[in-house]
Amino acid sequence: MATEVLTVADLIATASLDTSLLAGGDGRSREVLWAHSCEMPDPEQWLGPNELLMTVGLCVPRKANEQASFVARLDDAGLAGMMIGDHETAPPITAKMLAEADRRGFPVLLAGSRTPYAVIARHVAAANSTNQTLQVLKLSKLYNLAAYADDDAAALVRAISSFLGVDIEVFDSASGLRVLSSAHDGESARATTHTSRRSYPLEGHHAAELKLSEYAGEELDSFILVHLLKVMEVTVDRILDAADRRAKESAEIMLSLLNGVIPSDIGAFIAPHLPSDGFRLVAFPRADEAAVARAAASSKLPVIVGAGRVYHLALVPVDAMADFREQVQGAAGQAGISSIFSDYHDTRTAAVEAGNVLAAGQLSTRAWTEFEGFSVSVLTRSHREATDIVAGVLGPLAEDSARATMLRETLFAYLRHDRKWREAAEELAIHRQTLSYRLGKIEEATSLSLSKTADLSSSWIAYQAWLATHPS
């Protein structure tokens, strides 16, 4: 900071102000950018770094331990010091409070009973007039950077970081994901080289948290900080509004793919990748849906994310998988990854495969589980193969007639419940004798024997193939 900035020692040395030092003498060199009167019980919420609290004592607690904690809070907030008036309203200043101020080097000043706080505030303002001019110029530069950012939020936050000499990180409160960082890609914030780290809520359309890492003694003053918060609120709202729009479009594309329709705008969404490059489908638990969708959308990854029937899904080009995993892994604790496919029509088949991989991975508490080298229930490799299996195994049960539908759903319920009669009958809302009758008719129609392992395996694979080829 400029040497012309007023210090606590300057205030004490100005005889006309009738101010003396009670404790915290090691903090005489602290700079005073502003002096503000406050009687709220938490003045640290209203004053910022390098600002002097002036009080007649109404905000000062009476108990010794509370007074010591009061001083600690003011010091942790970066205040320049505290001035208390020599008035009857002030509680007795305890030895414990003064000892804490001495230990921290936090100046506690006593103002004479006839010293108006307005005079002290004007004195501080006049002494810092040159610095205030510099602050206005700094503020102008801050808004100039924001105005010419060209919608490149990452470049903007790096420019502001370099200009103000701070590290900046912004986290989305809804998902916990980092939205912005002044560090370049692959780097982390340089918090280890700083000794001061503060957090502030951003209260735009989207709740977020700004984290600043600053060098000790060079913290941003409240004048600049207030405007930095506003710039970050506008920037974060712009990023997350765009992310929400992209996430909505992505979900609509995924729904179309699962229903066998290929949208015309899908190429733009995954550009520069092509279907011939290959895809994998990634399944996530429903609980991670919002975080995964926002992470993918806010980073503008060439992936399609949306809801499946059981799990949340992401269609990821093979070459983009590493970037996708890096961006999303913090948002999703577990995931199942399908084998590679290159036809959009195989999306539903891959979704079933990825879901089975995820389910098996959850049983073994694995994090991200890939298809290769892993045994799953669905052995179909394409939409055509799944269709052939359905026709070959189910035969007449694959038809659209009411009778075929009734028998097919009976078979599927029986398989879903591991051949447990009571559970299957309850799901179908029929008597066990009716279930037995229908299973007999199923065996007649398909030539399957549900007591044979081979036929049961074929039936289960046909059931999975049916799920892969028929939208719910």
Side-chain angles (χ1 to χ4, degrees):
M1 292 215 174
T3 56
E4 55 268 11
V5 174
L6 192 73
T7 66
V8 171
D10 294 331
L11 286 177
I12 298 171
T14 305
S16 62
L17 298 180
D18 190 19
T19 300
S20 58
L21 182 69
L22 291 178
D26 290 345
R28 287 186 180 90
S29 62
R30 293 195 181 201
E31 296 166 342
V32 183
L33 297 181
W34 192 249
H36 189 77
S37 179
C38 180
E39 301 300 341
M40 301 291 286
D42 52 353
E44 71 277 7
Q45 299 295 322
W46 305 95
L47 280 78
N50 303 112
E51 296 185 344
L52 179 71
L53 168 64
M54 299 185 297
T55 174
V56 297
L58 296 178
C59 65
V60 180
R62 293 187 171 274
K63 295 182 179 179
N65 288 338
E66 293 178 357
Q67 286 187 354
S69 297
F70 181 71
V71 165
R73 295 202 317 269
L74 299 181
D75 185 42
D76 289 342
L79 271 66
M82 179 184 77
M83 178 180 290
I84 189 167
D86 189 7
H87 304 287
E88 293 181 356
T89 54
I93 302 301
T94 65
K96 196 161 189 176
M97 175 178 174
L98 298 179
E100 180 68 11
D102 282 332
R103 186 181 71 82
R104 290 173 167 266
F106 180 79
V108 177
L109 308 180
L110 179 66
S113 59
R114 297 182 179 275
T115 302
Y117 282 161
V119 171
I120 294 174
R122 285 197 295 270
H123 181 85
V124 173
N128 289 330
S129 59
T130 301
N131 184 65
Q132 289 174 350
T133 300
L134 293 175
Q135 294 293 71
V136 171
L137 293 175
K138 183 180 287 189
L139 180 62
S140 176
K141 174 67 173 179
L142 174 64
Y143 280 109
N144 187 64
L145 289 173
Y148 292 95
D150 294 329
D151 292 329
D152 189 342
L156 171 62
V157 78
R158 287 196 294 268
I160 292 176
S161 168
S162 176
F163 172 58
L164 297 179
V166 298
D167 277 337
I168 298 172
E169 290 181 295
V170 180
F171 293 86
D172 171 33
S173 298
S175 65
L177 296 170
R178 187 169 69 177
V179 178
L180 282 172
S181 174
S182 56
H184 289 276
D185 293 341
E187 297 179 356
S188 58
R190 297 171 294 161
T192 54
T193 65
H194 295 69
T195 56
S196 175
R197 189 168 173 83
R198 297 184 286 168
S199 298
Y200 302 93
L202 298 179
E203 299 176 350
H205 299 308
H206 301 274
E209 182 181 27
L210 170 68
K211 292 189 176 181
L212 291 180
S213 296
E214 306 159 285
Y215 290 102
E218 299 181 22
E219 294 86 353
L220 293 182
D221 64 82
S222 57
F223 178 75
I224 295 297
L225 179 60
V226 167
H227 293 278
L228 173 62
L229 293 177
K230 183 55 65 177
V231 169
M232 288 295 98
E233 283 178 5
V234 173
T235 302
V236 169
D237 279 347
R238 187 168 64 246
I239 291 172
L240 295 183
D241 281 344
D244 286 351
R245 289 193 297 271
R246 182 176 175 85
K248 182 179 179 181
E249 294 172 8
S250 177
E252 291 172 351
I253 293 175
M254 177 61 76
L255 180 61
S256 296
L257 290 176
L258 294 174
N259 283 283
V261 178
I262 302 176
S264 59
D265 57 346
I266 191 171
F269 226 86
I270 65 164
H273 303 280
L274 299 172
S276 57
D277 298 331
F279 302 104
R280 282 185 156 178
L281 212 74
V282 185
F284 303 95
R286 285 286 195 187
D288 299 330
E289 177 177 349
V292 170
R294 177 157 284 182
S298 61
S299 56
K300 298 181 180 179
L301 290 172
V303 302
I304 298 168
V305 180
R309 192 177 68 168
V310 179
Y311 300 109
H312 204 63
L313 303 170
L315 185 146
V316 186
V318 171
D319 291 341
M321 179 60 75
D323 291 338
F324 175 74
R325 185 164 181 169
E326 180 181 350
Q327 291 290 332
V328 173
Q329 198 154 7
Q334 289 189 307
I337 306 173
S338 77
S339 56
I340 297 174
F341 63 101
S342 58
D343 188 338
Y344 288 127
H345 288 103
D346 293 335
T347 299
R348 187 169 178 84
T349 303
V352 175
E353 184 178 275
N356 285 329
V357 174
L358 172 59
Q362 288 174 327
L363 292 176
S364 62
T365 67
R366 297 181 185 180
W368 283 52
T369 309
E370 297 190 16
F371 175 83
E372 282 80 7
F374 198 80
S375 175
V376 295
S377 301
V378 178
L379 303 181
T380 55
R381 309 297 298 166
S382 68
H383 186 277
R384 176 177 292 179
E385 185 178 348
T387 301
D388 291 343
I389 287 177
V390 167
V393 176
L394 298 183
L397 267 62
E399 298 172 359
D400 292 331
S401 66
R403 176 177 174 78
T405 300
M406 176 192 69
L407 293 178
R408 184 176 62 246
E409 290 304 317
T410 299
L411 173 61
F412 291 169
Y414 182 65
L415 295 173
R416 271 197 304 273
H417 292 286
D418 294 326
R419 296 183 296 160
K420 296 177 181 176
W421 288 57
R422 182 174 62 82
E423 287 85 344
E426 287 179 354
E427 178 186 327
L428 297 167
I430 60 176
H431 193 274
R432 288 184 57 174
Q433 294 298 330
T434 304
L435 175 60
S436 176
Y437 172 78
R438 289 186 185 179
L439 292 176
K441 292 300 180 183
I442 289 169
E443 291 184 332
E444 289 178 12
T446 61
S447 298
L448 294 170
S449 174
L450 298 180
S451 61
K452 291 183 178 180
T453 302
D455 286 355
L456 276 173
S457 298
S458 297
S459 300
W460 176 257
I461 293 173
Y463 168 45
Q464 296 293 298
W466 178 275
L467 293 177
T469 56
H470 291 74
S472 56

